[in-house]
Amino acid sequence: MKLLLGEILVEAGLSPERLKKALDLQKKRGGRIGTLLIRLNLSTEEDVLKALGVQLNLPFQAELGDIDRELALKLPITYAKKAVVIPLRRHNGSVLAATSEPLNLSTIDDLSALLGADISLCLAPSDRILDAVNRIYSEDMNRAEDTAQEMEEEDLSFLAAELDEPTDLLEVTDDAPIIRLVNSLLSQAIRERASDIHIEPFEKEMIARFRIDGILYNILTIQKRFQASIASRVKIMSGLNIAEKRLPQDGGMRIKIGGKDVDIRVSIVPTAFGERIVLRLLYRESALLPLDQIGFTGDTLTRFNEFIERPHGIILVTGPTGSGKTTTLYAALSKINKPDKNIITIEDPIEYQLKGIGQIQVNAKIQLTFAAGLRSVLRQDPDVILVGEIRDGETAEIAIQAALTGHLVFSTLHTNDAAGAVTRLLDMKIEPFLISSSVIAILAQRLVRVLCKECREPYRITPAEIAELELKTGAEGATVYRAKEKGCGACFNTGYLGRSAIYELLNIDDDIRQLIMKDTDASTIKALATEKGMRTLRQDGAARVLEGVTSIEEVVRVTQKEA
């Protein structure tokens, strides 16, 4: 006698109380018991699928392994996603397919008709199946280099004629090769985790480059004759004026490739050789990582957690553009975001949507500046305020007044190190006593590329490298890692995969306050803070080198040499 799914789950560890709760709901609303258990968070999809496997005598695969791409591509992507199914490989004259919905009996008939073979099923989690479908169809889209090559081989001489006429440009951008090239660039950039696409015109050619993990790589050389049509295609996609070529233009678009929602900010500026295009890719599904997963470790993590729980004061995060300041601030807000706190942000632009937090977009065209927004926010009874950036003395003064009147304020500044933030505020004509009484901590940060674990190379650290990293005793002969020269397939031949932050956390204690009151320079403040135990950016980077996270070259590249 076949066991019921609920009985199998209880034998596997599901509590009878949880099963009863789902069964009671099933009596009222109907539906499959496995689906109800998952929706009520009483059981995981994986546990339900394993139980179904026992009940239906089907194997369960947590990982899909190697997939026959040619076979998988025979299935239309819309059907594969809707049915949550993917053909894996041929076996003994039949096709093995993975599904998360084995009770959908029509799936086998559909697959058999589409693939022309008998079908055998295995069970796999839906997210693994959808990821595989997206990956395979994304890889199938032509690489930009292949598309450009096809364009060069096709007879596209008509593109060269009268490209300055807007009407002709519209006709050109509707032509398949141009659309394919732009789509291929976008698809390849998303696949390779690029944060920016640069399309740069020169005298005789155009160069496309991707910024991956903070470094620009040449990707493609495009013939000069396609320049105007590519610019027009991007303008049409982002709602810009295709006839305007003399003035800078900013726009945006939202696309979906391989199941990924991507917001794209577009900037076009005229140069001596034509319009230069930069696309900033913002991945909507990017998970907001907790503080301990973005680079905070040990004492720095403990102290920063203490600062962000304070009831009032200013916490400043400093660093150059692209150093991860916004990500750190969002991680901090996510940690303290509770129903009993009213958190409001003023940003330019809003990069992530934060549930339960009020977010205001700066709009200079209607005089909604950081300063004006901050004044209004103070009338919204906030507990915590995030000001995207302190750009002028007016914003700084209002932020300080907010901190002095019982609010916790987060903001950013562009300075090289933590102590430099004090000097920057003084340059904005902020009184030293206001800085010392309102600022409670300053965090400087940089992003270092993380070594690819598949191909990193171990070696013994040298005395010269120990001196360069300013390491104390105990590092002699330690094993550290460096990037493999040509990388591997996992890291797209760069030797690095992803980025992590290194930090310098300055605690504004009574001794530091005394120095600020005396209008002391940044180097003196930094020297005292270091003496009191502050770990500098380079020292924090050195610790990550010894942990095997990054390389010495990366830390030296992103940190200032100590004077």
Side-chain angles (χ1 to χ4, degrees):
M1 182 178 174
K2 184 187 285 188
L3 284 172
L4 296 173
L5 185 67
E7 293 172 345
I8 299 170
L9 284 165
V10 169
E11 282 187 13
L14 178 71
S15 70
E17 292 79 14
R18 290 189 166 198
L19 177 62
K20 184 179 183 305
K21 187 174 181 181
L23 288 169
D24 290 344
L25 186 63
Q26 187 185 39
K27 287 175 185 175
K28 292 178 184 176
R29 299 186 184 176
R32 292 175 179 157
I33 190 66
T35 304
L36 291 172
L37 285 165
I38 294 168
R39 284 183 183 169
L40 294 169
N41 289 323
L42 300 174
S43 184
T44 65
E45 183 189 31
E46 188 167 316
D47 288 341
V48 169
L49 286 173
K50 285 178 180 176
L52 275 170
V54 172
Q55 187 184 47
L56 303 174
N57 197 25
L58 293 174
F60 173 81
Q61 289 189 207
E63 300 296 335
L64 298 179
D66 293 330
I67 298 173
D68 184 333
R69 291 181 68 253
E70 188 178 339
L71 182 66
L73 289 169
K74 287 185 177 181
L75 225 60
I77 186 170
T78 49
Y79 176 79
K81 285 187 170 184
K82 186 176 179 181
V84 198
V85 66
I86 186 168
L88 299 179
R89 61 192 74 89
R90 294 186 186 276
H91 181 68
N92 295 333
S94 65
V95 170
L96 175 64
T99 181
S100 65
E101 299 184 6
L103 299 177
N104 189 350
L105 300 178
S106 63
T107 299
I108 295 178
D109 296 334
D110 294 341
L111 288 175
S112 184
L114 287 165
L115 302 175
D118 292 333
I119 305 297
S120 58
L121 292 179
C122 68
L123 305 182
S126 57
D127 58 343
R128 302 285 165 81
I129 293 172
L130 293 173
D131 283 348
V133 170
N134 287 330
R135 186 181 71 251
I136 284 170
Y137 279 85
S138 175
E139 289 171 356
D140 185 56
M141 182 176 278
N142 286 344
R143 290 175 64 245
E145 190 174 352
D146 299 333
T147 308
Q149 184 66 35
E150 288 174 23
M151 288 169 58
E152 290 172 15
E153 291 169 1
E154 290 182 38
D155 180 15
L156 299 175
S157 55
F158 68 89
L159 292 181
E162 299 179 350
L163 280 177
D164 289 335
E165 293 297 322
T167 51
D168 288 342
L169 285 177
L170 280 170
E171 293 169 10
V172 167
T173 52
D174 283 340
D175 191 77
I178 297 299
I179 294 172
R180 282 208 314 273
L181 176 60
V182 174
N183 288 350
S184 296
L185 272 172
L186 290 169
S187 174
Q188 188 175 336
I190 291 166
R191 195 163 61 245
E192 297 184 8
R193 305 174 298 104
S195 60
D196 302 83
I197 303 171
H198 292 234
I199 304 173
E200 303 165 350
F202 297 99
E203 187 175 6
K204 296 181 180 178
E205 62 191 8
M206 295 181 75
I207 303 292
R209 300 196 286 170
F210 292 168
R211 188 179 293 280
I212 302 170
D213 292 334
I215 304 295
L216 277 169
Y217 296 93
N218 280 3
I219 298 297
L220 178 65
T221 300
I222 307 168
Q223 288 190 8
K224 185 75 172 177
R225 61 188 174 132
F226 303 125
Q227 178 176 316
S229 49
I230 289 170
S232 292
R233 176 62 187 162
V234 172
K235 286 178 183 177
I236 285 172
M237 291 175 76
S238 50
L240 300 177
N241 181 0
I242 64 168
E244 181 56 73
K245 300 179 184 177
R246 300 164 300 167
L247 293 172
Q249 295 191 70
D250 294 319
M253 64 179 97
R254 181 182 174 187
I255 64 170
K256 189 170 187 175
I257 293 182
K260 292 183 178 178
D261 270 325
V262 185
D263 287 324
I264 301 178
R265 297 209 304 266
V266 179
S267 171
I268 300 178
V269 297
T271 69
F273 297 115
E275 291 178 299
R276 189 179 192 278
I277 304 166
V278 175
L279 309 172
R280 166 62 60 89
L281 310 181
L282 300 169
Y283 299 91
R284 281 177 163 250
E285 85 290 353
S286 294
L288 280 176
L289 297 173
L291 291 168
D292 59 355
Q293 290 183 30
I294 60 175
F296 279 98
T297 56
D299 186 51
T300 305
L301 175 62
T302 303
R303 287 190 296 133
F304 191 69
N305 277 329
E306 290 172 0
F307 287 129
I308 65 176
E309 294 288 353
R310 296 269 187 96
H312 55 81
I314 295 180
I315 297 173
L316 295 173
V317 180
T318 78
T321 301
S323 59
K325 299 187 295 294
T326 303
T327 301
T328 297
L329 287 172
Y330 280 172
L333 288 184
S334 296
K335 180 167 178 61
I336 62 174
N337 184 17
K338 299 183 179 96
D340 62 347
K341 282 187 177 168
N342 180 20
I343 303 176
I344 303 179
T345 74
I346 310 157
E347 305 172 63
D348 185 22
I350 296 171
E351 293 188 19
Y352 300 92
Q353 301 292 333
L354 297 173
K355 189 175 180 181
I357 292 176
Q359 295 174 269
I360 299 170
Q361 169 72 57
V362 166
N363 188 343
K365 291 179 182 176
I366 56 171
Q367 283 73 54
L368 179 52
T369 60
F370 281 118
L374 187 49
R375 280 198 194 91
S376 298
V377 162
L378 288 172
R379 292 192 286 273
Q380 289 278 313
D381 185 32
D383 298 296
V384 181
I385 304 168
L386 165 62
V387 183
E389 184 184 343
I390 292 179
R391 294 178 179 171
D392 51 51
E394 183 184 13
T395 308
E397 282 184 6
I398 302 168
I400 285 171
Q401 290 304 323
L404 293 174
T405 53
H407 303 89
L408 183 63
V409 181
F410 293 90
S411 193
T412 69
L413 278 175
H414 289 279
T415 62
N416 286 331
D417 59 12
V422 175
T423 308
R424 182 82 181 89
L425 290 172
L426 291 170
D427 290 342
M428 292 180 182
K429 309 300 182 194
I430 304 299
E431 294 292 341
F433 74 90
L434 289 175
I435 299 171
S436 65
S437 56
S438 61
V439 179
I440 58 175
I442 304 171
L443 181 77
Q445 71 176 79
R446 297 289 188 279
L447 291 178
V448 292
R449 291 182 292 168
V450 174
L451 287 164
C452 174
K453 290 185 178 178
E454 299 295 322
C455 66
R456 64 182 183 175
E457 298 176 338
Y459 72 100
R460 297 282 183 189
I461 193 168
T462 66
E465 288 171 332
I466 290 174
E468 178 105 63
L469 289 177
E470 299 160 14
L471 287 166
K472 304 292 189 283
T473 55
E476 296 82 1
T479 298
V480 294
Y481 294 85
R482 60 187 164 213
K484 187 177 180 181
E485 187 176 351
K486 293 189 178 177
C488 66
C491 59
F492 299 100
N493 304 312
T494 63
Y496 296 92
L497 190 60
R499 289 190 289 178
S500 181
I502 56 175
Y503 296 103
E504 175 179 294
L505 181 58
L506 174 60
N507 174 17
I508 308 295
D509 61 13
D510 289 340
D511 294 331
I512 300 294
R513 286 193 185 93
Q514 290 298 320
L515 291 183
I516 295 172
M517 291 288 286
K518 295 174 185 175
D519 204 354
T520 310
D521 62 89
S523 58
T524 306
I525 293 172
K526 184 169 187 175
L528 177 60
T530 306
E531 188 182 311
K532 292 169 73 69
M534 181 183 80
R535 190 152 76 172
T536 65
L537 282 166
R538 181 159 291 196
Q539 288 167 346
D540 197 37
R544 307 311 296 280
V545 168
L546 294 175
E547 292 167 8
V549 172
T550 190
S551 66
I552 291 169
E553 292 78 11
E554 269 298 286
V555 173
V556 171
R557 180 179 69 85
V558 303
T559 57
Q560 296 284 320
K561 179 68 179 173
E562 298 296 319

